[in-house]
Amino acid sequence: MSVPEYFTHSCPGRIWISALILWLILFTLGNGRAEAQQFGAKNSSPHVTISAPEPLQDLLKNHFQLPIAPILDETARATFMRRAQREISELLATEGYFTPAINLHLDPSSKTPVLEVIPGPRTFVTEVSIEFKGDLATEEPSRHARIEKLRAAWSLSVGQPFRSPAWEEAKAILLSSVAGEDYAAAEIEESKAEVDSASSTARLSVILDSGPAFRFGDLMIKGLNRYDPSLITGLVPFKTGDPYRRDQLLSFQTKLQNLPQFSSVAVNIDPGAATHQAAPVEVVLSEAQAQRVSAGGGYSSNTGARGELSYTNNNFLDRALRLNGGLRIEQKRQTLSTTIDSVPDQAGQWFSLGAGVERTFIQELETIREKAGVSRNQLSGKAETRLALNWQREDRQPTGGVQQVNQTFVLDGQLRYRSVDDPLFPRDGSVTELRVGGGSRQLLSDQDFIRTYVRHQSWYPVGDRHVLFLRGELGYTFAPSRFGIPQEYLFRAGGIQSVRGYAFQRLGVREGQAIVGGRAMATGTIEYNHWFTREWGAAIFTDIGDAADTMRRLDLNVGYGGGIRWRSPVGPLALDLARAHNDGKLRLHFSIAVAF
């Protein structure tokens, strides 16, 4: 089916079915909630209702408990009103209402007691005084400029409503801003909020003592037994004598925590005034187990059941090199591999050396490949880059096709940018991946080619329980022909994280009875998730895509359906039932992994 035919004939039916599934899910959820609310109302509805201005309704409902039992006499009424006067007055004071009127009366129509809350005038800030003591108050242009900047950044300014949470937050931000640079021992010496209830005004004053200016001193390492101190000192982002910066201290701690050699890390300085000129930086470590053997198992509808055995050595050759070796046996794929990683440097760069052997039998295509490579990797903030040189030899045997042995030597570059709220269970954010690589007949390759690939995924929260997920990927290998190029540098589609409703790597180029990789690929996904609880949810989705030998031969295959989602302790699990639009077949897509 061509692109125009797909949008003309396929989209209406697909959209109608997806919309119907979504409506059924939401209708069932809505009825369940309504029934639960009605049941709760019949069994625990309060005998007193609250009447208050809209902005204060949620505050009172969430923090003031209404009586469940009826108020039968004056004694019960007086007891309730004393509690209401005290608790509601305290609640309203946090929002700047200091003269509320609270009355209890019967509603004329329903004869139900109504607690009427009239908050009175709101208090506004009319004056703010922020003074500084200590080294920061020294008459120097740089310090004066910093003080003016701190005052300008004060969040509870004149003219704003006085709220206790905002008052506490403003002080915390001020203290953090001062203590984050130079002044590790800064503290608020005095703070006052003078409220005049008669005029509904508040005057704020803060006196902050910065203390002396701190500089980093020598490194003091505790708990290091197995490794050379250079493993720690090589990641220090500051020098002895540099001005104290809290963000540098936290960055240093994070880098150490990310090293597999340590199970816990704490980095601090002594904020005592006596050592401010060279405050010792204390690093307290707990070393992780140097060697580990682990086993695991799982199942995926892509490659079937699997078992795996892995070995890790975090101190290979006693040089803090990390050795990883693994054997994975799946029904459709078997892999034996090993990698050696160096320790990341100050810039977040490290080198990897790896080799492996893999056999696959997927869609009547058997491949046996040997590979080896070296790469330079870097992790900087949300971006991860990789530049690698890879050699690969592949023996491919399609059922009913021609056996070939292909060899290539590839320069491969990869960029991945990740910006999500939760790396394991994202609800908001995106992940983008770019990859470009190629080989030449002039350098150990059987074919000239350049492979390009881009993938983008986005998550959009819709309310508290809904998430819209979009995914798109596009790949093309520039080459005279697909022959002579290993399958890793070509494209097939279908299965989990591709086009559901079709078997794993079912979409590609037919060769004999097998499906082999083509030079072009495009796929996309739109998925809507609803979470019934924090752990369990449901989804509806539509996938589209194909792989072929040229872009013009791409035939958009559509799959759609629904599934179950589970935020398991080891990661997200998806169980999907999808229908292939082309042949009407239903397929179950599922994966789970267990370590032991």
Side-chain angles (χ1 to χ4, degrees):
M1 182 183 292
S2 66
V3 175
E5 288 174 338
Y6 162 68
F7 282 105
T8 302
H9 300 289
S10 300
C11 284
R14 174 174 58 83
I15 294 174
W16 184 86
I17 292 174
S18 297
L20 178 61
I21 297 174
L22 176 62
W23 181 83
L24 289 173
I25 291 174
L26 297 179
F27 179 79
T28 303
L29 177 64
N31 283 347
R33 283 182 175 174
E35 292 173 1
Q37 291 173 354
Q38 291 173 4
F39 177 83
K42 290 178 181 179
N43 289 274
S44 60
S45 58
H47 292 269
V48 177
T49 60
I50 291 181
S51 173
E54 185 64 29
L56 301 176
Q57 284 281 359
D58 289 341
L59 175 70
L60 297 176
K61 287 181 180 180
N62 293 333
H63 299 283
F64 179 72
Q65 184 177 357
L66 292 168
I68 300 301
I71 299 177
L72 300 177
D73 52 37
E74 285 300 320
T75 300
R77 175 190 175 92
T79 300
F80 169 67
M81 286 303 295
R82 281 195 299 270
R83 181 173 68 86
Q85 291 282 356
R86 182 182 69 257
E87 295 182 5
I88 292 178
S89 295
E90 292 174 356
L91 286 173
L92 295 181
T94 64
E95 295 296 316
Y97 299 98
F98 293 94
T99 57
I102 305 170
N103 301 299
L104 184 66
H105 60 81
L106 286 178
D107 182 87
S109 56
S110 64
K111 303 301 181 182
T112 302
V114 176
L115 185 66
E116 183 179 20
V117 178
I118 302 173
R122 194 170 200 179
T123 298
F124 287 84
V125 178
T126 57
E127 183 181 328
V128 177
S129 173
I130 304 175
E131 300 298 329
F132 296 91
K133 298 173 61 176
D135 183 80
L136 183 57
T138 305
E139 290 295 332
E140 289 187 6
S142 60
R143 289 171 171 76
H144 180 73
R146 185 175 177 184
I147 286 175
E148 293 304 315
K149 185 178 180 180
L150 291 167
R151 286 172 174 162
W154 176 259
S155 56
L156 188 56
S157 57
V158 173
Q160 292 186 346
F162 175 78
R163 299 176 58 250
S164 294
W167 167 233
E168 297 302 327
E169 181 183 8
K171 291 188 291 182
I173 293 174
L174 175 65
L175 179 59
S176 179
S177 299
V178 175
E181 293 185 10
D182 298 314
Y183 304 108
E187 60 180 1
I188 292 180
E189 185 177 275
E190 182 181 340
S191 66
K192 291 190 300 183
E194 298 178 345
V195 175
D196 186 344
S197 57
S199 60
S200 301
T201 61
R203 294 184 299 170
L204 311 180
S205 65
V206 178
I207 300 177
L208 188 146
D209 186 355
S210 70
F214 278 70
R215 292 184 176 275
F216 288 118
D218 295 332
L219 212 61
M220 299 177 59
I221 303 174
K222 298 180 179 180
L224 191 67
N225 301 311
R226 191 179 297 126
Y227 304 99
D228 189 89
S230 60
L231 179 63
I232 311 298
T233 58
L235 297 178
V236 179
F238 48 81
K239 301 186 297 292
T240 300
D242 283 354
Y244 167 78
R245 297 291 184 267
R246 181 175 55 202
D247 59 346
Q248 291 183 338
L249 210 63
L250 294 176
S251 173
F252 180 37
Q253 177 174 283
T254 300
K255 289 178 180 179
L256 294 177
Q257 288 173 335
N258 290 337
L259 293 179
Q261 287 82 4
F262 306 118
S263 58
S264 67
V265 180
V267 180
N268 297 289
I269 70 165
D270 181 5
T275 60
H276 71 93
Q277 292 181 343
V281 180
E282 185 180 67
V283 181
V284 181
L285 306 164
S286 177
E287 294 181 349
Q289 187 176 354
Q291 301 184 61
R292 181 185 178 189
V293 177
S294 61
Y299 178 83
S300 167
S301 56
N302 280 355
T303 54
R306 73 174 179 267
E308 56 186 305
L309 184 67
S310 62
Y311 168 75
T312 300
N313 187 334
N314 293 323
N315 195 24
F316 184 58
L317 301 179
D318 292 326
R319 298 182 63 86
L321 299 174
R322 191 182 194 196
L323 170 68
N324 282 296
L327 172 65
R328 172 179 286 196
I329 299 178
E330 301 170 276
Q331 289 178 271
K332 300 179 182 180
R333 179 169 55 197
Q334 300 83 44
T335 306
L336 176 64
S337 63
T338 183
T339 59
I340 300 174
D341 296 316
S342 67
V343 177
D345 62 15
Q346 178 58 42
Q349 294 184 1
W350 74 97
F351 290 88
S352 298
L353 178 66
V357 180
E358 181 182 70
R359 177 193 176 273
T360 67
F361 187 75
I362 300 171
Q363 297 300 326
E364 298 300 321
L365 174 64
E366 181 181 17
T367 63
I368 299 176
R369 63 173 62 103
E370 304 96 37
K371 57 194 304 185
V374 60
S375 65
R376 190 205 69 176
N377 315 279
Q378 182 172 16
L379 180 61
S380 178
K382 299 177 181 179
E384 182 178 349
T385 58
R386 179 175 179 268
L387 184 63
L389 285 171
N390 295 314
W391 172 86
Q392 183 176 139
R393 180 184 181 275
E394 178 185 80
D395 184 347
R396 60 186 288 273
Q397 175 63 68
T399 303
V402 178
Q403 180 182 8
Q404 285 188 328
V405 177
N406 302 318
Q407 178 178 276
T408 189
F409 185 67
V410 177
L411 175 63
D412 200 358
Q414 184 176 6
L415 167 66
R416 179 182 289 113
Y417 183 82
R418 184 190 305 269
S419 178
V420 293
D421 57 343
D422 187 324
L424 197 58
F425 306 108
R427 291 191 70 251
D428 190 7
S430 63
V431 177
T432 302
E433 180 181 351
L434 301 173
R435 184 174 175 181
V436 179
S440 171
R441 290 183 175 180
Q442 305 300 319
L443 192 63
L444 300 178
S445 293
D446 293 337
Q447 180 67 280
D448 296 325
F449 71 93
I450 297 177
R451 182 186 188 271
T452 61
Y453 175 80
V454 59
R455 178 186 179 100
H456 181 77
Q457 302 174 89
S458 292
W459 292 264
Y460 301 94
V462 182
D464 294 332
R465 293 179 175 266
H466 304 263
V467 179
L468 176 65
F469 170 65
L470 301 177
R471 178 192 62 83
E473 62 177 348
L474 183 67
Y476 191 79
T477 299
F478 296 88
S481 167
R482 72 175 185 274
F483 295 103
I485 304 175
Q487 293 295 298
E488 183 177 339
Y489 301 100
L490 297 172
F491 302 98
R492 287 188 284 181
I496 300 170
Q497 297 180 348
S498 183
V499 185
R500 287 162 289 188
Y502 300 84
F504 180 50
Q505 296 189 353
R506 177 66 179 81
L507 305 176
V509 179
R510 180 166 292 279
E511 189 176 315
Q513 300 174 28
I515 300 297
V516 302
R519 292 182 294 133
M521 182 269 294
T523 71
T525 291
I526 179 170
E527 179 173 304
Y528 199 83
N529 292 269
H530 173 79
W531 292 94
F532 300 97
T533 67
R534 189 184 181 282
E535 290 81 20
W536 290 96
I540 59 172
F541 58 84
T542 297
D543 297 333
I544 182 173
D546 193 22
D549 222 11
T550 65
M551 282 292 185
R552 290 185 177 182
R553 293 183 182 179
L554 288 176
D555 186 8
L556 296 177
N557 298 274
V558 180
Y560 48 85
I564 298 171
R565 301 290 178 267
W566 178 37
R567 290 176 174 146
S568 76
V570 295
L573 177 145
L575 175 63
D576 292 324
L577 182 63
R579 180 179 185 271
H581 182 75
N582 289 3
D583 56 18
K585 291 184 179 180
L586 292 173
R587 287 185 175 86
L588 194 66
H589 298 276
F590 172 74
S591 67
I592 188 171
V594 178
F596 50 87

